[in-house]
Amino acid sequence: MRRIINASLGTQLFVLQMVIVFLAVGGTAGVWVEHTRGQLDQQYQQRALAIAESVAGLPQVRAAFAAPRPELVLQPIAAGVQAATGADYVVIANREQVRYAHPNAALIGRKLSTDGSEILTSGRAWTGIQTGTLGRSVRGKAPIFDFSGRVIGLASVGVLEDTVAGQLGTALPPLLWTVLAVLLAGSAATGLIARRVRRQTFGLEPREIAALLEQREGVLHGVKEGVLALDLQGRVTLVNDAARDLLGLSHQDVGRDLREMPLSDRMRDVLDGVDSGDDRVVLHRDRVLVLNRTPVAVREQQSGWVVTLRDRTELVRLARELDQASSTTDALRAQAHEFANRMHTLVGLLELGEHEMAVSYITRTSEDCGRHAAGIREKIADPTLAALLLAKSAEAAERGASLTLAEDCRVEEGALGDPHDAVLVVGNLVANALDALEETGGTVDVSVRTESDGLHIRVGDSGPGIVPGLVDEVFREGFTTKVARSGPRGLGLALTRQACSRRGGWVRVHNAGGAVFTALLPGREDVNKAGGRVFEQGEAMKAEAPK
């Protein structure tokens, strides 16, 4: 037994299936033998009863009971019937159950070895199996009536069990051949099944398969990247812990169709392959995810898809910090360039001896810079938003464009609460407008004002505008009309719409001598950390908003 338990999977399957085959064939053969034996017993009982009734109905048998010595008449008759019918014995007895005829003449005159009172009393025939002086036999007993209808004795005819068993033995060879054929066919089928199972399991033993399953579970749920498997019908067949956390799914989502899951249209398109390609960037809740969809083939036949998900939120945060450093560097470089030009002008005036003009130049330049900064701060009292617009103004000048604030700009200090979302929306829209003027130059008009329902934002540019057919597409994740550069594209306006929608607002665009974006960002004092994280994403990707 221990050897079987420690044997290979194929051997165990072969042995177990052969045991099943033996049990099934043996049980079937046993039932057949028992059924056939029962049928033979019943047939011989009916045959014995028919002979007994024939003997009991013979007129000479009925008349012999009135003779002085009935045995002299009945013994020859019984012997003749026994020889003619092939019965093992024919016995005739009177009402007192004393034998008048028997194969063993020495027993004539003696009482029957089995009780026949039931037949004599009821006058009805009987069949069954009993053990008598000749052994165990199948017998039939019939009452003998005189000419007036009174029971005067009985006739008993029997066939020994050995005779019945011999008849059964003649029927066994076909059964044995059938059993042998079934065993051979079962052995062949069992061998084929064991071979097929071994081939399907790649020759791996159960303990090896269990070890592989444990390793797979450990790897899938141990990796930090999300892994999601889909079958050819688009049903989720596997989700690891990281994917459940990134997508907000649960164990109950395994087996569900993608269309039934709480996912955005953009996420569903990427998972389902409608939006195919490498490193597809998707905004999901407060995270920036990068998805890759790869087909899975088993024995050169595709069986589904595996989608990996990477959380790039932290990377975007670092990119935002790098972008801030880069923006600061660009601003300092532009100011250094402008300062150098002013210093050269001042040195030239001093060398020419134009001292009064040099003093006047310095005074006028200082006043211009102060007025520009004071003009922005006068309209935008919030320091964070004012600093953003001042930096964007310097960036616009560096690009050969100009940024102007509308006369209706008015943002009181503290009116924004947490300014993250406001900076995200304004920064992305202004960056988008500057990108539209990158080759032609021009003007960016900005209007920001706080009202009772929140912060109203309008950013327009003098660029070529948006193709009418693409007005509804510019806010879709991944959409861009810019020349591809490194890094994810088409996130700026998608983040803008997400920030507005999250707070119950909106963002729209139309053409009016250029693209004009308008947005409403309702006020909210309890902006959560998720909003701050989206702000970081938007600032890092603001230079890549689609146009």
Side-chain angles (χ1 to χ4, degrees), residues 198-442:
R198 188 171 182 83
R199 186 171 61 250
Q200 289 181 333
T201 58
F202 299 97
L204 297 175
E205 299 302 324
R207 58 183 176 275
E208 295 174 325
I209 296 174
L212 285 177
L213 178 61
E214 292 174 354
Q215 293 172 5
R216 189 202 74 158
E217 291 297 312
V219 170
L220 284 177
H221 298 290
V223 296
K224 292 185 178 180
E225 286 191 354
V227 179
L228 183 142
L230 305 167
D231 61 15
L232 295 177
Q233 287 72 41
R235 293 188 297 267
V236 177
T237 58
L238 181 145
V239 183
N240 72 345
D241 295 339
R244 279 197 294 268
D245 179 61
L246 293 174
L247 297 178
L249 304 179
S250 64
H251 293 281
Q252 286 73 24
D253 290 310
V254 176
R256 294 178 61 189
D257 193 278
L258 283 176
R259 291 181 291 273
E260 302 173 357
M261 300 175 69
L263 302 172
S264 64
D265 293 338
R266 164 73 172 165
M267 176 67 73
R268 193 174 290 110
D269 288 344
V270 175
L271 291 177
D272 204 24
V274 176
D275 185 359
S276 59
D278 297 333
D279 294 334
R280 310 308 295 168
V281 179
V282 180
L283 288 179
H284 186 71
R285 298 189 297 180
D286 59 342
R287 289 171 172 168
V288 178
L289 304 180
V290 178
L291 280 67
N292 282 284
R293 189 171 185 264
T294 306
V296 176
V298 177
R299 297 188 181 93
E300 299 182 355
Q301 291 187 351
Q302 184 173 342
S303 60
W305 304 84
V306 169
V307 182
T308 58
L309 305 94
R310 286 176 289 159
D311 187 359
R312 293 192 58 174
T313 306
E314 185 66 17
L315 182 61
V316 167
R317 185 187 66 81
L318 296 175
R320 178 245 180 188
E321 294 178 358
L322 179 61
D323 182 70
Q324 288 179 339
S326 178
S327 298
T328 302
T329 302
D330 290 341
L332 291 174
R333 181 176 54 80
Q335 291 179 3
H337 186 269
E338 184 178 359
F339 182 75
N341 290 334
R342 292 174 179 175
M343 288 299 98
H344 291 156
T345 302
L346 182 60
V347 170
L349 290 174
L350 292 175
E351 288 181 351
L352 294 175
E354 300 291 341
H355 300 91
E356 293 183 2
M357 186 174 292
V359 172
S360 176
Y361 176 75
I362 293 173
T363 303
R364 187 172 60 254
T365 302
S366 300
E367 290 176 352
D368 289 341
C369 293
R371 279 196 301 270
H372 180 66
I376 293 178
R377 189 59 188 274
E378 181 181 353
K379 296 178 179 179
I380 311 296
D382 184 86
T384 306
L385 190 57
L388 172 68
L389 292 175
L390 186 61
K392 291 298 182 183
S393 178
E395 182 181 351
E398 179 69 12
R399 293 190 180 193
S402 63
L403 186 148
T404 60
L405 294 181
E407 293 298 329
D408 61 349
C409 286
R410 186 65 59 187
V411 177
E412 301 297 334
E413 185 172 1
L416 299 179
D418 190 326
H420 284 166
D421 285 344
V423 172
L424 182 150
V425 174
V426 174
N428 279 338
L429 294 180
V430 172
N432 196 69
L434 290 176
D435 286 341
L437 304 177
E438 188 170 1
E439 297 181 357
T440 60

Side-chain angles (χ1 to χ4, degrees), residues 20 26 44 46 99 109-110 199 245 264 302 323 379 404 450 471 492 507 509 539 547:
I20 294 173
Y44 275 98
Q46 295 302 320
R99 299 185 184 97
R110 296 184 180 181
R199 186 171 61 250
D245 179 61
S264 64
Q302 184 173 342
D323 182 70
K379 296 178 179 179
T404 60
T450 53
V471 169
V507 59
V509 61
E539 284 296 288
K547 188 66 181 174

Side-chain angles (χ1 to χ4, degrees), residues 17-32:
Q17 291 183 72
M18 285 306 301
V19 169
I20 294 173
V21 170
F22 274 111
L23 291 176
V25 172
T28 302
V31 170
W32 184 88

